[in-house]
Amino acid sequence: MTDTVRTRIAPSPTGDPHVGTAYVALFNYAFARRHGGQFVLRIEDTDRRRSNAASERMIFEALRWLGLEWDEGPDVGGPYGPYRQSERSEIYREHVEKLVASGAAYPCFCTTERLKALRAEQREKKLPIGYDGHCRSIPPEEARRRRDAGEPHVIRLAMPREGESVVNDLLRGEIRFANSQIDDQILLKSDGFPTYHLANVVDDHLMEITHVIRAEEWISSLPKHVRLYEAFGWAPPVFCHLPLLRNPDTSKISKRKNPVSLNYYRRAGYLPEALLNYLALMGWTMPDEREEFSLGELVKNIDLGDIRLGGPVFDLTKLTWLNGRYLRRMSPEEILERLRRDLYSDEYFLRILPLVRERIDTLEQFAEYSQFFFTGTLEYGEAARKKLLVKGRTAPQSAKILRVLLEEALDPVMEWDAAHLEPAVRTACEKAGLTPKELFMPLRVAVTGRPATPPLFDTMEVLGKETCRRRLRHAVELLRSMK
RNA sequence: GACCCCAUCGUCUAGCCAGGUCGAGGACACCGGCCUUUCACGCCGGCAACACGGGUUCAAAUCCCGUUGGGGUCGCCA
């Protein structure tokens, strides 16, 4: 073990880059820098079904935009690679076999159906929900035979059934769990990929991570992780669980109730340094109580022990105020530079121009015609409101149709271009029992505010996911209030 | 529901660990005023909190217990 501090951020590339990732990354980054250590980026893409390259790329871009540079990672390399878990399968398999050999883990042949039925029964009888250890009693020789015969199985951790697990959190101190209510966690899935629990423990150890700074939602699986360190004979790192960012209603932050994509903040014109500054205020205070400070100043002053445990509500209003303060301190030249970099680049104009060229006769008309490419949320006039309605449906019904369209068809689109959007929306039409013609107009009006625009999917592509989703949300709210 | 975490103004928080200096400080939002051709910025002022109940103590926002409330977890997701 080295004695330098090593921290990591370990996002899963399964969606848009999340503000919570930035929050956790910020503290990991600051703590590592404060102690002259390393900050590692590790991609946890062991969910083969949901992980995708577009999402991974967006994570890199978003963290770089924020200025949270990592010392080691999939794209920059480093002495502890590979840094993408999908490229480390062999390592996990070797390690899990050690556990099976020592009896700390065992193969489980239970089917998904059996587990489902088990859960249903436990729910019914109001018993604690969890694996019942069914396959734990299979003699090792028999298990070996069945595995060799190619019978589908997973590997589970054999948790002690009695006694207590006492784990430690830097901020909370000792936390105790009765072992009887911790079930045998799956370590290796039937597809041969590890679960988070196995992969993160193995990687944190091999990558010599000294401080695991992550979100509070992991506390309940801490005993399983600690048990793994013990089973491997490894010294565990220091664990520090950060409070969870909250929606205004204090539930865990979610895109239904608060913008969570870092792409949103970038597109909406927040400055990375202001966002970082605001995030640092969530649970932490400068020794002199100053509210405005740079990343460098955070690094100089960070002390994990100073973090408050109450889950902070992410308050857009205060973030926006802070952002304004930053903006006002900048020179016009600096602002122009940001405008060009993050919002209105030449490249952006060049994407709009092909769409509006045919539709304008003088240069002046460009501003008028393409105005909706440059604003945030839209005001819907009387005429637009009417066209927001799906033909033959009431306002609340239309609201629901657009909401479902957004959440089920559009949100999952990671490569936001016409080629991916069109099939997604057409499929949504079928599911909703609507013709394209019936759905396209409300969608068009929702995202542009107008009934006449360049081709819908090209327009949506240029507007970008964040602007489209923001306007759709707004339109849904408006329709709801229309009754 | 079970388990775990948490609890100061509507929100972010200082104070709590080392109990008296707290008739609880700052910031956002809100309200009022000043500045100003307007708006905004900026400045000044105001409103507003120790969840509740016990205990310990000469003394509790600070320590202990309970209640209540909020949150998280309970996936071959992370």
Side-chain angles (χ1 to χ4, degrees):
Chain A
M1 267 299 241
T2 53
D3 50 5
T4 10
V5 164
R6 288 175 57 83
T7 65
R8 47 69 162 182
I9 180 72
S12 178
T14 53
D16 296 307
H18 200 276
V19 68
T21 302
Y23 177 60
V24 176
L26 174 62
F27 284 95
N28 273 283
Y29 173 94
F31 182 71
R33 288 279 174 277
R34 167 87 168 83
H35 297 281
Q38 292 92 45
F39 170 57
V40 178
L41 171 63
R42 183 173 71 221
I43 293 293
E44 309 230 325
D45 56 349
T46 54
D47 184 337
R48 289 198 297 177
R49 199 171 46 89
R50 296 199 303 156
S51 296
N52 64 83
S55 178
E56 180 184 295
R57 203 183 52 240
M58 290 192 287
I59 290 168
F60 293 168
E61 284 171 4
L63 291 178
R64 286 225 160 83
W65 171 68
L66 284 167
L68 299 175
E69 287 290 335
W70 47 98
D71 304 297
E72 301 166 26
D75 57 338
V76 296
Y80 297 86
Y83 294 90
R84 203 178 271 117
Q85 290 186 331
S86 59
E87 295 165 14
R88 301 171 64 82
S89 295
E90 206 41 53
I91 298 172
Y92 308 122
R93 246 176 302 229
E94 283 168 20
H95 279 84
V96 89
E97 286 312 327
K98 288 185 194 166
L99 258 27
V100 173
S102 73
Y106 62 93
C108 166
F109 303 91
C110 290
T111 60
T112 314
E113 292 70 47
R114 177 176 184 274
L115 298 176
K116 251 187 171 166
L118 177 67
R119 271 192 287 267
E121 189 189 329
Q122 288 167 335
R123 209 179 307 273
E124 177 138 355
K125 290 186 181 165
K126 297 195 191 287
L127 292 166
I129 292 166
Y131 184 61
D132 60 358
H134 184 258
C135 292
R136 194 154 155 179
S137 54
I138 297 173
E141 317 78 58
E142 184 193 333
R144 183 75 259 166
R145 211 166 47 242
R146 289 169 72 176
R147 290 182 76 186
D148 290 344
E151 188 173 339
H153 64 279
V154 301
I155 305 293
R156 284 182 189 272
L157 175 64
M159 273 305 285
R161 286 180 162 148
E162 279 156 18
E164 211 178 35
S165 289
V166 182
V167 299
N168 231 285
D169 176 85
L170 179 67
L171 298 171
R172 282 159 268 251
E174 285 186 354
I175 304 175
R176 295 163 180 277
F177 294 84
N179 289 145
S180 59
Q181 35 105 15
I182 304 173
D183 72 346
D184 291 351
Q185 186 62 49
I186 292 179
L187 300 177
L188 202 70
K189 305 182 239 183
S190 57
D191 65 5
F193 275 70
T195 57
Y196 172 87
H197 308 283
L198 205 223
N200 111 82
V201 165
V202 169
D203 286 348
D204 285 341
H205 174 75
L206 296 178
M207 294 182 183
E208 299 189 29
I209 300 301
T210 56
H211 299 255
V212 170
I213 305 165
R214 73 227 304 188
E216 192 180 8
E217 54 191 336
W218 292 110
I219 289 181
S220 46
S221 38
L222 226 204
K224 297 169 183 178
H225 301 166
V226 171
R227 169 65 196 140
L228 275 171
Y229 280 97
E230 198 178 276
F232 280 121
W234 297 336
V238 172
F239 291 102
C240 173
H241 293 88
L242 263 22
L244 248 16
L245 260 21
R246 309 289 183 88
N247 293 315
D249 68 1
T250 76
S251 55
K252 171 176 161 179
I253 199 165
S254 65
K255 64 181 166 193
R256 290 279 292 269
K257 297 171 181 171
N258 199 89
V260 294
S261 169
L262 292 169
N263 295 338
Y264 168 86
Y265 293 95
R266 183 174 188 168
R267 184 69 185 238
Y270 289 90
L271 304 167
E273 52 272 60
L275 216 209
L276 246 23
N277 187 161
Y278 180 70
L279 250 14
L281 255 18
M282 305 270 83
W284 187 79
T285 316
M286 263 289 181
D288 62 4
E289 279 196 67
R290 208 160 22 113
E291 289 198 291
E292 293 171 50
F293 50 83
S294 67
L295 180 56
E297 290 172 303
L298 169 67
V299 168
K300 278 199 202 86
N301 291 282
I302 185 71
D303 181 344
L304 294 179
D306 289 338
I307 293 169
R308 271 190 62 85
L309 298 176
V313 171
F314 190 91
D315 181 9
L316 269 178
T317 310
K318 186 158 182 178
L319 166 63
T320 305
W321 163 80
L322 224 209
N323 200 65
R325 298 273 300 185
Y326 272 80
L327 224 37
R328 271 167 238 128
R329 271 206 300 272
M330 294 168 80
S331 67
E333 289 77 11
E334 287 171 315
I335 298 175
L336 178 63
E337 194 188 310
R338 299 308 185 93
L339 230 31
R340 287 236 167 98
R341 191 188 78 184
D342 287 340
L343 297 194
Y344 310 129
S345 60
D346 284 355
E347 191 248 332
Y348 187 58
F349 276 90
L350 253 10
R351 293 173 71 195
I352 297 168
L353 259 358
L355 299 178
V356 306
R357 187 175 39 184
E358 285 93 346
R359 297 168 171 84
I360 60 175
D361 297 311
T362 64
L363 293 176
E364 185 190 53
Q365 287 169 3
F366 171 81
E368 164 61 25
Y369 195 81
S370 59
Q371 174 252 116
F372 63 85
F373 281 112
F374 297 91
T375 55
T377 37
L378 268 10
E379 294 296 331
Y380 300 99
E382 188 62 28
R385 285 172 190 233
K386 277 187 190 140
K387 290 187 189 277
L388 232 29
L389 293 167
V390 179
K391 202 177 162 211
R393 309 297 173 100
T394 62
Q397 287 170 332
S398 302
K400 191 177 177 197
I401 291 168
L402 288 183
R403 185 176 59 78
V404 171
L405 172 72
L406 172 63
E407 288 171 11
E408 288 173 18
L410 265 18
D411 273 345
V413 177
M414 287 300 132
E415 292 178 75
W416 193 264
D417 53 44
H420 288 84
L421 286 167
E422 181 155 358
V425 175
R426 287 190 186 276
T427 307
C429 285
E430 279 174 43
K431 277 193 190 159
L434 296 167
T435 66
K437 195 179 172 182
E438 287 171 320
L439 189 59
F440 283 22
M441 183 54 78
L443 175 57
R444 180 192 311 281
V445 173
V447 298
T448 66
R450 314 179 170 199
T453 70
L456 180 57
F457 300 112
D458 294 329
T459 302
M460 288 176 69
E461 175 182 329
V462 174
L463 282 172
K465 183 174 189 176
E466 293 311 321
T467 301
C468 289
R469 102 176 295 284
R470 181 177 173 188
R471 292 178 178 175
L472 236 11
R473 277 247 157 261
H474 182 212
V476 167
E477 286 314 311
L478 181 71
L479 284 167
R480 276 202 187 126
S481 71
M482 277 162 64
K483 275 273 166 52

